[in-house]
DNA sequence: CTGAAAGCGCTTACAG
DNA sequence: CTGAAAGCGCTTACAG
């Protein structure tokens, strides 16, 4: 009876419950205007038969696929785990499913790959993570196909295109204030790559917190970086072997902070006794190194949940949301571990 | 024309090409018995109209969903990135799509969650990663629904159920041989948790390589662990503060190896000058710590590709494959970095 | 080598 | 509050 291909259909349920298939459909889709006793009777049969409507049939007839797409390009795979955790959970609660596609941001046939997915599957919405959410080609392909999108942490918001993000400026301010409260004044900063807006935002937060505490950032202690381990290590090497080394280093992301740790180690500097280090992102590695990194956790899973909700609700919305509701900012979390200490 | 809902159907293609929809269907599905010129004509129109058959219609009519499911429970998210990279790529090449679901291995409603996915989506196959691929409840639910599965790195192979894995014993032998060739003889080993078969396999490889080189493992240098950072750190603390400390430590996975690094650091031991350390897995972190870890890379993406292939080909197979073909073993890769040195 | 018909399992509009 | 009919866009048998 549970063999492949012989599962019950809506007709079976209708017959068993003594109603029409339309009424079964109404109950399953939570449509109003069904007598309570009828609803209960139908639900009972649905349960007994373990009936589940088939996505392909619903999709073909109703024009909704109950599929949410997730497009990503994440070689380091730091982001994608949490994104999916949040997205699949929320999808499940809402009766949707998540289809993922790993793309190369600079693939020559990117357009066709997206078309293939969109035209074949007709997902009801698409979640885009960096750097794909900032790729004009990707955005154009999706817009032309009429697929609703939500951008996760895009470089900058686009008018009319929903997005969800955290507040990098504010988080950087908090991290900086933490160091200042620990007594640090000579705080070095290692920047991210200039083509990513998070880099500027984090730097801005650093500067503003310094000034709020009456400190002027020493430009000699501000080094460029590119979010890689190596760039963090090299910047720290430079910083720490200078004449007036900093007592704390703010690296714009965890990978660079790990580089700082490596450089300090090589120079025989004890962290956190002689040098405090903070990162940004709360990467899986951040908790595993010695000492564990003080950092900021992006609410990645929550952002993904929110993205799913926006997509599903957007479908139902009569009136398009105004631009303020379109761009959501979620709360981050300061993670204080052992790489920071009072001086 | 590319607005939502107005995309071309098979009828449009047939009309434009001057053939029946059945012929269009034949061309699209690579069925034999179509005149070459007819085929070309149809393909030309398909291209011109940017036509893509709708998954929901194909699925409803044909009984195949062109969907492959991926069930995983991976809190550390180390595995899932590579799995998806490999799986989505191969799916794309074969005209399939990947639907993922993040499950809790011990969720009370695990059965219902799986049923929901299977009955709604009817995936043509399912990929299971550890620890779900070893969960009897999961396996039973899938078997009853008649969904073909491939297990990735299961504890042990199950007769008749396809699987794909690497050779842990052999990899551990290679790692051990590497240390021995570097001149190490007092090699410590930190085991994994006894309930995971990889633990036993890696230990077995260690012992067999030692003996192959005429060395008998010193049981005082064999410590229990549970694959966590903390257990590796504690085991190393024990090992390294003993009267006759080892000159090398083989940790059964990278997380524990990172723990060893932390312990060594704390004790003021220089790695690799005074102590060589090897891990297992080539986790993202392994390359980012100082010194970068010598380890073994599991061919995760390749295993995922293979799993997709087995699922898709299984569908086509006339005769069920014999048990040898059902259980594939893929080649691993030794990654030699800076945490190992000749003594 | 090609096509006309039936049907997959639902939802949509339309009635009552 | 409930139902009979049509149709979504394909593939499967079945013919010729």
């Amino acid at each position: 009876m549970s063999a492949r291909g012989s599962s019950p259909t809506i007709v079976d349920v209708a017959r068993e419950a003594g109603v029409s298939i339309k009424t079964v459909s109404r109950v399953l889709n939570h449509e109003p205007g069904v007598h309570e006793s009828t609803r209960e009777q139908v639900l009972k049969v649905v349960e007994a038969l373990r009936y589940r409507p088939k996505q392909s049939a619903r999709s073909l007839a109703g024009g909704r696929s109950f599929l949410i797409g997730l497009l990503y390009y994440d070689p380091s795979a730091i982001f994608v785990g949490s994104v999916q955790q949040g997205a699949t959970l929320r999808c499940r609660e809402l009766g949707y499913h998540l289809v993922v596609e790993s793309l190369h941001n600079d693939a020559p046939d990117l357009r066709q790959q997206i078309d293939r997915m969109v035209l074949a599957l007709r997902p009801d919405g698409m979640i885009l993570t960096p750097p794909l959410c900032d790729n004009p080609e990707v955005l154009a392909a999706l817009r032309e196909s009429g697929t609703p999108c939500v951008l996760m942490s895009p470089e900058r918001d686009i008018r009319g295109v929903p997005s969800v993000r955290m507040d990098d400026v504010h988080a950087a301010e908090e991290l900086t204030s933490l160091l200042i409260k620990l007594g640090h004044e000579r705080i070095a900063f290692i920047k991210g790559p200039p083509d990513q807006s998070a880099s500027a935002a984090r730097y801005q937060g650093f500067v503003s917190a310094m000034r709020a505490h009456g400190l002027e950032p020493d430009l000699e202690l501000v080094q460029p970086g590119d979010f890689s381990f190596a760039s963090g290590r090299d910047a720290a090497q430079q910083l720490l072997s200078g004449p007036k080394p900093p007592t704390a280093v703010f690296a714009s992301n965890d990978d660079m902070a790990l580089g700082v740790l490596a450089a300090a180690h090589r120079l025989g500097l004890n962290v956190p006794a002689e040098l405090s280090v903070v990162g940004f992102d709360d990467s899986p590695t951040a908790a595993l190194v010695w000492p564990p990194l003080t950092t900021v956790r992006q609410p990645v899973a929550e952002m993904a949940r929110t993205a799913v909700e926006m997509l599903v609700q957007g479908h139902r919305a009569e009136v398009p949301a105004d631009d303020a509701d379109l761009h959501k900012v979620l709360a981050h979390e300061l993670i204080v571990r052992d790489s920071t200490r009072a001086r």
Side-chain angles (χ1 to χ4, degrees), chain A:
Chain A
M1 75 160 261
S2 55
R4 202 166 177 70
S6 71
S7 34
T9 72
I10 196 171
V11 175
D12 299 320
V13 177
R15 188 189 325 108
E16 199 75 19
V19 297
S20 72
I21 61 169
K22 174 67 224 191
T23 293
V24 177
S25 174
R26 280 196 185 93
V27 172
L28 260 17
N29 290 294
H30 306 99
E31 287 172 30
V34 179
H35 195 90
E36 192 47 37
S37 65
T38 311
R39 178 182 303 278
E40 280 171 15
Q41 169 65 6
V42 169
L43 251 18
K44 220 175 63 187
V45 176
V46 164
E47 212 47 50
L49 262 43
R50 304 183 119 245
Y51 168 73
R52 294 276 152 186
K54 241 174 140 159
Q55 177 264 347
S56 56
R58 296 183 81 183
S59 180
L60 185 57
R64 300 167 59 187
S65 64
F66 297 93
L67 259 24
I68 299 287
L70 170 64
L71 258 31
Y72 75 96
Y73 169 60
D74 189 4
S76 60
I78 280 174
F79 223 47
V80 68
S82 305
V83 171
Q84 288 188 6
Q85 177 74 18
T88 64
L89 243 159
R90 196 71 186 110
C91 275
R92 186 186 304 153
E93 292 164 0
L94 296 171
Y96 282 68
H97 291 272
L98 191 73
V99 185
V100 303
E101 192 100 23
S102 168
L103 260 29
H104 275 270
N105 195 31
D106 44 6
D109 57 342
L110 193 55
R111 174 63 192 255
Q112 289 156 59
Q113 290 180 13
I114 293 173
D115 277 353
R116 192 187 77 94
M117 182 179 190
V118 167
L119 296 178
L121 257 29
R122 310 295 167 104
D124 292 334
M126 196 77 96
I127 301 175
L128 303 180
T129 57
L132 292 172
C133 59
D134 301 306
N135 186 322
E137 199 184 352
V138 173
L139 261 20
L142 258 11
R143 189 178 336 104
E144 283 172 35
S145 72
T147 309
C149 294
V150 171
L151 315 182
M152 273 190 63
S153 300
E155 296 281 312
R156 61 200 102 262
D157 285 332
I158 299 173
R159 262 187 77 87
V161 182
S163 69
V164 53
R165 60 165 72 251
M166 63 166 281
D167 187 343
D168 280 88
V169 176
H170 187 213
E173 284 173 352
E174 287 185 10
L175 227 31
T176 308
S177 295
L178 173 77
L179 290 171
I180 296 173
K181 278 171 192 154
L182 288 174
H184 295 280
E185 297 191 347
R186 287 191 60 71
I187 305 175
F189 188 92
I190 306 178
K191 290 176 148 183
D195 60 322
Q196 292 198 35
S197 65
S199 304
R202 292 170 192 180
Y203 183 59
Q204 184 192 326
F206 165 69
V207 172
S208 105
M210 290 288 277
R211 292 190 178 144
H213 290 270
L215 299 168
E216 187 58 29
D218 181 348
L219 290 185
E220 305 234 321
L221 295 183
V222 176
Q223 287 279 330
D226 61 8
F227 281 166
S228 74
F229 176 85
S231 75
R233 185 193 54 206
D234 296 347
Q237 181 78 32
Q238 191 87 4
L239 251 11
L240 299 172
S241 48
K244 286 183 65 185
T247 64
V249 179
F250 183 149
S252 303
N253 80 340
D254 285 348
D255 278 1
M256 294 199 300
L258 297 177
V260 175
L261 252 32
H265 184 194
R266 192 193 283 170
L267 293 169
L269 267 176
N270 187 298
V271 176
E274 300 170 89
L275 181 73
S276 284
V277 178
V278 301
F280 208 109
D281 283 346
D282 192 30
S283 64
T285 314
L288 297 181
V289 289
W290 192 258
L293 273 182
T294 291
T295 186
V296 167
R297 193 180 74 86
Q298 289 202 58
V300 180
E302 294 81 350
M303 293 195 290
R305 285 184 69 88
T306 303
V308 170
E309 276 166 22
M310 291 171 85
L311 256 10
V312 173
Q313 282 165 7
H315 173 85
R316 297 199 193 119
E318 302 294 305
V319 195
D322 63 73
D323 233 64
D325 297 333
L326 238 43
H327 306 296
K328 309 219 175 189
V329 178
L330 266 41
H332 56 264
E333 190 183 345
L334 213 61
I335 312 277
V336 181
R337 298 207 184 89
D338 298 337
S339 66
T340 41
R341 185 180 293 178
R343 67 176 304 259

